[in-house]
Amino acid sequence: MQSISPESIFRGDDAWEKSLPFIADLTKSPLILGRSVHTRNLRNKIFTDLKNQKLNVNSAELEFDCCFEDISRIKNLILKNNHDSVIAAGGGKVLDSGKYIAECLKIPCITIPLSASTCAGWTALSNIYSKNGQFIKDVSLRSCPKILVYDHKFIQTAPSRTLASGIADALAKWYESSITSTKIEDGLVQQSIQISRVLRDQLLIDGEKAFNGKFKNHPSWRNTIEACGLTAGLVGGIGGEKCRTAAAHAIHNSITQIITPNKFLHGEIVGVGILLQLKLEEMKNNNKLADQSIRQLLELMKKLNLPITIEQLGINVFENNNLEKLAEFTCRDKSEIHFLPFEITKEDIVKVITNFERQKIKI
Ligand SMILES: [Zn+2]
């Protein structure tokens, strides 16, 4: 069974208004789930608009990340108040929590991404973290959300940092799927990898202009936010689990194990993971094009103010046994690193990160 996309997708400047009657048909007592103070005004608007549709609406906030503590608290709240749907309005962690909770309770989930930071509004997947933001596991869900509302007016209000993060996460689709799936004969998988290549090209062309934010009604901005929030999800939907994540996400997951005072966004960490994956391809797979890809990516990442080393993510890998911790988690049994078509050992990870952090990357 493969769930390729949400059942209904509303996109554009008036997506929210257009979706309202459909939401009112689907649910009579939704719970709006959100998290950050930054999105509170938008969530209040969503609340009021749903009330005006005569729905019995309530709202709740996550205290932490998409973690079991928050998930069970919200599940109990839904059961106590007899809510018949979850409306997840926020970034990736909120969307992942909403989808997971809805699946557990067998009620529909409506996703309203409030930034372009990930494709979590689309996918049938939830990443579970600890309260402190340490990656635990990803869970495949039975289906994508029932309704996805990708309202451009809402996404315009998000900080530009979230867009940079979304661009890095969407770029990873090409670098990860193209290396893990080259031997797969399934046409749908091959075509989904080709979509991820076009997606990468679009972001290389339009990403900087979109990030600069002066042109929020410009096609570059629209194409970029839709690439990050929609097309990236479509690649996963068509390619399914064969269109896998690989080293970039495995390294992301291990970096989240080290708790730092400043938290970084998912895509900001994945971006560093892509650079390290390419270094691994160069070192272990004799990939002569990897260096070229790194240079091309670095140029864009610097323009988007994205971190380009683990040090810039607030971690000194040379203290507190951090190198060993990263190598251990990256190479653990169920890690995505093992989807690479060549073997990776802990020593390889220590070596690649050591070289990467010691060189002073300059463009
Ligand atoms: Zn990701």
Side-chain angles (χ1 to χ4, degrees), residues 117-119 125 127 129 165 168-170 172-173 176 245 249 252-253 266-267 270:
S117 60
T118 71
C119 59
L125 199 72
N127 288 325
Y129 293 84
S165 173
D169 197 31
K173 293 274 176 224
E176 295 192 292
T245 52
H249 274 81
H252 159 278
N253 296 343
H266 174 81
V270 170

Side-chain angles (χ1 to χ4, degrees), residues 33-320:
L33 185 62
R35 182 168 70 162
S36 79
V37 179
H38 181 82
T39 63
R40 199 168 280 158
N41 284 345
L42 277 180
R43 285 184 283 120
N44 286 342
K45 174 187 165 44
I46 291 170
F47 184 94
T48 310
D49 289 350
L50 291 171
K51 266 259 180 268
N52 290 338
Q53 296 281 321
K54 310 264 181 292
L55 301 186
N56 172 31
V57 52
N58 209 332
S59 65
E61 287 186 354
L62 292 181
E63 203 177 326
F64 310 101
D65 276 329
C66 178
C67 64
F68 286 123
E69 288 82 354
D70 268 336
I71 286 169
S72 70
R73 181 173 58 85
I74 306 288
K75 262 165 47 178
N76 288 336
L77 187 73
I78 292 174
L79 290 171
K80 195 172 122 219
N81 296 331
N82 272 324
H83 290 295
D84 62 1
S85 74
V86 180
I87 300 184
K93 307 259 161 79
V94 169
L95 301 168
D96 275 4
S97 306
K99 290 183 294 183
Y100 185 83
I101 292 165
E103 166 133 333
C104 292
L105 299 176
K106 296 193 166 59
I107 55 178
C109 182
I110 296 155
T111 48
I112 312 179
L114 299 181
S115 77
S117 60
T118 71
C119 59
W122 183 293
T123 56
L125 199 72
S126 288
N127 288 325
I128 311 287
Y129 293 84
S130 73
K131 269 163 58 171
N132 299 319
Q134 295 161 298
F135 175 84
I136 297 176
K137 61 175 180 176
D138 51 34
V139 182
S140 291
L141 306 173
R142 275 191 301 273
S143 66
C144 296
K146 192 86 176 160
I147 297 177
L148 162 61
V149 184
Y150 206 67
D151 192 296
H152 293 192
K153 293 192 306 306
F154 291 176
I155 290 167
Q156 275 183 20
T157 65
S160 51
R161 182 180 168 190
T162 59
L163 179 59
S165 173
I167 291 172
D169 197 31
L171 283 168
K173 293 274 176 224
W174 161 253
Y175 297 97
E176 295 192 292
S177 69
S178 60
I179 181 118
T180 56
S181 309
T182 43
K183 295 206 174 93
I184 291 175
E185 285 180 2
D186 185 330
L188 275 189
V189 176
Q190 291 171 355
Q191 287 139 27
S192 111
I193 295 168
Q194 295 301 347
I195 299 174
S196 75
R197 184 179 52 78
V198 177
L199 170 65
R200 179 206 60 180
D201 292 346
Q202 180 103 51
L203 295 173
L204 288 173
I205 294 165
D206 282 331
E208 185 192 356
K209 205 183 265 179
F211 175 75
N212 285 336
K214 288 176 211 138
F215 310 101
K216 285 193 174 167
N217 279 317
H218 191 276
S220 292
W221 183 80
R222 285 202 299 271
N223 291 344
T224 302
I225 61 145
E226 296 215 317
C228 300
L230 305 181
T231 321
L234 179 68
V235 169
I238 300 179
E241 57 178 18
K242 288 181 192 132
C243 226
R244 287 175 189 278
T245 52
H249 274 81
I251 291 165
H252 159 278
N253 296 343
S254 72
I255 290 174
T256 66
Q257 302 307 309
I258 299 170
I259 297 165
T260 52
N262 293 324
K263 286 186 101 182
F264 286 83
L265 300 173
H266 174 81
E268 292 174 328
I269 307 173
V270 170
V272 174
I274 304 174
L275 299 174
L276 279 160
Q277 177 180 316
L278 287 162
K279 284 281 177 199
L280 277 172
E281 289 182 42
E282 196 176 38
M283 185 173 97
K284 294 286 291 185
N285 208 29
N286 203 17
N287 179 352
K288 302 290 185 210
L289 297 177
D291 191 53
Q292 215 174 22
S293 299
I294 289 173
R295 285 174 187 283
Q296 192 179 28
L297 276 176
L298 279 175
E299 204 177 312
L300 177 65
M301 288 170 75
K302 290 197 160 188
K303 285 174 183 157
L304 302 184
N305 265 338
L306 282 163
I308 52 170
T309 60
I310 299 179
E311 191 182 4
Q312 289 179 7
L313 295 170
I315 297 168
N316 181 346
V317 297
F318 302 112
E319 57 185 34
N320 298 333

